Amino acid sequence: MKKVEAIIRPEAFQTLRQNLDHLGVKGLTVSEVAGCGQQKGQEGIFRGSRFEVKLYPKVKVEMVAEDHELESIIDVIMDSCATNEVGDGKIFVSTIEEVFRIRTGETGKAALI
Amino acid sequence: MKKVEAIIRPEAFQTLRQNLDHLGVKGLTVSEVAGCGQQKGQEGIFRGSRFEVKLYPKVKVEMVAEDHELESIIDVIMDSCATNEVGDGKIFVSTIEEVFRIRTGETGKAALI
Amino acid sequence: MKKVEAIIRPEAFQTLRQNLDHLGVKGLTVSEVAGCGQQKGQEGIFRGSRFEVKLYPKVKVEMVAEDHELESIIDVIMDSCATNEVGDGKIFVSTIEEVFRIRTGETGKAALI
Ligand SMILES: Nc1ncnc2c1ncn2[C@@H]1O[C@H](COP(=O)(O)OP(=O)(O)OP(=O)(O)O)[C@@H](O)[C@H]1O
Ligand SMILES: Nc1ncnc2c1ncn2[C@@H]1O[C@H](COP(=O)(O)OP(=O)(O)OP(=O)(O)O)[C@@H](O)[C@H]1O
Ligand SMILES: Nc1ncnc2c1ncn2[C@@H]1O[C@H](COP(=O)(O)OP(=O)(O)OP(=O)(O)O)[C@@H](O)[C@H]1O
Ligand SMILES: [Mg+2]
Ligand SMILES: [Mg+2]
Ligand SMILES: [Mg+2]
C-alpha cells in the first residue's frame, strides 16, 4: 500500500477532490499547512540583510491507496493542480505497511475499499 | 520503529489518550484534519449535479513506538475508538528509520523511552 | 530520498528556518500540532485520580531531502532547537520513494532541487 501526500495550492483542492472522486478515490485526509519550496531569484539583499522568506498557505492531501492505483492518482493530481506558475506543489510517495478500519477491524485491501 | 497514524473522531480522543497512557504510551502528536472515507450510498444526483461530498472534522494521532508495542497500541485504538457507526476512522502503520531526542541527541530506543 | 520530521517548540522555528536556509534547504512544510512526550515525574495522583496530562503546542516541520543531506539537516535541527530543557522535541526519519514537482512533472532529484 502507498501513501500519496500532495502539497498543493488551497484553490486547487475542490477540482482535485472532484477528479479523485471520479477516479474512484473516496478516502483522503486534508490538513492546512504552510510551506516554502525553491524560490530561486525571489530572495534578495535589502540594506545588507536578507528578505524574510515567506511561508505560503498550502493544503496537504493524504491518500492511502493500493499500489496499482498510484499512477492514475499521480496523473489526476498533475492534471488538477498544475498551473505552470511556480508554487504548484509537490507529491511525495511512501509505503504504508498496514491499514485497519477501526469500525470492523478489517485490514489490508478490505480496510481500504 | 513504527509510526502508527490513527484518524479518529474528535470525540474519541480523550478516551484514547487515557487508555494509551495506561498502556504506557506517553509520546504522541495530535493534529486537526478533515477527511472523507468510503461513503457508498451517501452521494446522489440533485438536478443533474452531484451533491457536494462533505469533509468531516477528524483528529490525527501519531505515535512512534517500538515494533513490539504495535499490537497492543492497535488494540487500544480499536477498543477506544470503535462505535460500530460508519466513520470511526482508519489506522495506518509505516516504518520510521531513525529517531532523535533533540535535547540529548539520543537515538533509537533510548530516544523514545 | 528521506523525510525528516521534526516536532519542535514553536519559538524555535524562526532560528531553525534561517539555519536551514543557510544550509541550502529551501523546501519545507510546517503544521501546527499538539503533543506530549515522556513526562516522568510530572504526573501525580490527586485525591485518587491522575492529573490530566496536558498537550503542549508544537510545530511540525517536514523536509524531504536527498540521503546525503540527512546528517547536516539533523545537525542543524539539534543546534537550532536544543535548549537542554525537557520538551525540546523529537526528529523522525523515514523513506520517501518518489517525489514529483507538480508544475513540471519532474521526478527524483530534479524534482527536489
Ligand atoms: N523538499 C520539500 N520538503 C517538504 N516540503 C516541501 C519541499 N519542497 C516543497 N515543499 C512543500 O510544497 C509546497 C509547494 O512547493 P513548490 O511548488 O514551491 O516547490 P518548488 O520546488 O519551489 O516548485 P516550483 O518550482 O514549481 O515552485 C511548499 O510550500 C512546501 O509546503
Ligand atoms: N484511503 C484513505 N487515505 C487517507 N485517509 C483516509 C482514507 N480513508 C479514510 N481516511 C481518513 O479517515 C477518516 C475516517 O474514515 P472512515 O472511518 O469514514 O473510513 P471508511 O473506510 O469510510 O470506514 P467506515 O466504513 O467505517 O466509515 C476520513 O475522514 C479520512 O480523514
Ligand atoms: N513517541 C512519540 N510519537 C509521536 N510524537 C512524539 C513522540 N514523543 C514525542 N513526540 C512529540 O514530540 C513533542 C516533544 O516531545 P518531548 O521533547 O517532550 O519528548 P521527550 O521524549 O519527552 O523528550 P524530553 O525528555 O526532552 O522532554 C511532543 O509534544 C510530541 O508532539
Ligand atoms: Mg516554488
Ligand atoms: Mg466512512
Ligand atoms: Mg518531554
Side-chain angles (χ1 to χ4, degrees):
Chain A
M1 237 146 333
K2 297 295 178 195
K3 180 194 273 195
V4 180
E5 210 173 320
I7 318 283
I8 63 168
R9 297 183 196 278
E11 56 268 35
F13 177 67
Q14 283 304 335
T15 302
L16 173 59
R17 180 126 188 262
Q18 276 164 20
N19 293 344
L20 285 169
D21 189 59
H22 292 153
L23 183 66
V25 174
K26 306 293 185 191
L28 52 80
T29 298
V30 184
S31 21
E32 291 175 14
V33 299
C36 55
Q38 301 292 338
Q39 310 183 280
K40 296 193 196 91
Q42 298 186 13
E43 298 158 318
I45 304 296
F46 179 71
R47 300 182 186 183
S49 72
R50 250 174 140 167
F51 288 152
E52 180 74 24
V53 181
K54 274 199 296 182
L55 289 177
Y56 297 90
K58 299 280 171 185
V59 162
K60 184 200 277 191
V61 186
E62 292 169 278
M63 292 141 281
V64 176
E66 289 184 77
D67 292 29
H68 71 84
E69 298 176 283
L70 193 58
E71 206 180 314
S72 54
I73 292 176
I74 304 286
D75 286 350
V76 162
I77 297 170
M78 297 286 189
D79 288 350
S80 309
C81 302
T83 66
N84 265 322
E85 311 262 323
V86 297
D88 282 343
K90 296 264 172 101
I91 304 170
F92 303 120
V93 179
S94 58
T95 290
I96 293 290
E97 283 146 43
E98 291 189 74
V99 53
F100 298 85
R101 188 195 307 273
I102 293 174
R103 179 170 58 86
T104 59
E106 287 164 293
T107 60
K109 190 180 158 170
L112 272 188
I113 290 174
Chain B
M1 235 144 337
K2 297 296 177 194
K3 180 194 272 194
V4 180
E5 210 174 318
I7 319 282
I8 63 169
R9 297 182 196 279
E11 56 268 34
F13 177 67
Q14 283 305 335
T15 302
L16 173 59
R17 180 130 187 260
Q18 276 165 20
N19 293 344
L20 285 169
D21 188 60
H22 292 154
L23 184 66
V25 174
K26 306 293 184 193
L28 52 82
T29 298
V30 185
S31 18
E32 289 176 15
V33 299
C36 55
Q38 301 293 338
Q39 311 183 280
K40 295 192 197 94
Q42 298 186 13
E43 297 157 321
I45 304 297
F46 179 71
R47 299 181 187 184
S49 72
R50 251 172 139 167
F51 288 151
E52 181 72 26
V53 181
K54 273 198 298 181
L55 289 176
Y56 297 90
K58 299 280 170 184
V59 163
K60 185 201 276 191
V61 186
E62 292 169 279
M63 292 141 280
V64 176
E66 290 184 78
D67 293 29
H68 70 84
E69 297 176 283
L70 193 57
E71 205 181 316
S72 54
I73 291 176
I74 303 286
D75 285 349
V76 162
I77 296 170
M78 296 285 189
D79 288 349
S80 308
C81 302
T83 67
N84 265 322
E85 311 262 323
V86 298
D88 282 343
K90 295 264 172 104
I91 304 170
F92 302 120
V93 179
S94 57
T95 290
I96 292 291
E97 282 146 43
E98 291 188 75
V99 53
F100 298 85
R101 187 194 308 270
I102 294 175
R103 179 169 60 87
T104 58
E106 288 164 294
T107 60
K109 189 179 159 170
L112 271 188
I113 290 173
Chain C
M1 237 145 334
K2 297 295 177 195
K3 180 193 272 194
V4 180
E5 210 174 320
I7 319 282
I8 63 169
R9 296 182 197 278
E11 57 267 34
F13 177 68
Q14 282 305 336
T15 303
L16 173 60
R17 179 128 188 260
Q18 276 165 20
N19 293 344
L20 286 169
D21 189 60
H22 292 154
L23 183 66
V25 174
K26 305 294 184 191
L28 53 80
T29 299
V30 185
S31 21
E32 290 176 15
V33 299
C36 56
Q38 300 292 339
Q39 309 184 280
K40 295 193 196 93
Q42 298 186 14
E43 297 157 319
I45 304 296
F46 180 70
R47 299 185 187 183
S49 71
R50 253 172 138 166
F51 288 152
E52 181 73 24
V53 181
K54 274 199 296 182
L55 289 176
Y56 297 90
K58 299 281 170 183
V59 163
K60 185 201 276 192
V61 186
E62 291 168 278
M63 293 141 279
V64 176
E66 289 185 78
D67 293 29
H68 70 84
E69 298 176 282
L70 192 59
E71 204 180 317
S72 54
I73 291 175
I74 303 285
D75 285 351
V76 163
I77 297 170
M78 296 284 190
D79 287 350
S80 307
C81 302
T83 66
N84 265 323
E85 310 262 323
V86 297
D88 282 343
K90 295 264 171 103
I91 304 171
F92 302 120
V93 180
S94 57
T95 290
I96 292 291
E97 282 145 43
E98 292 188 73
V99 53
F100 298 85
R101 189 194 307 272
I102 292 174
R103 179 168 60 86
T104 59
E106 288 164 294
T107 59
K109 189 178 159 170
L112 272 187
I113 289 173

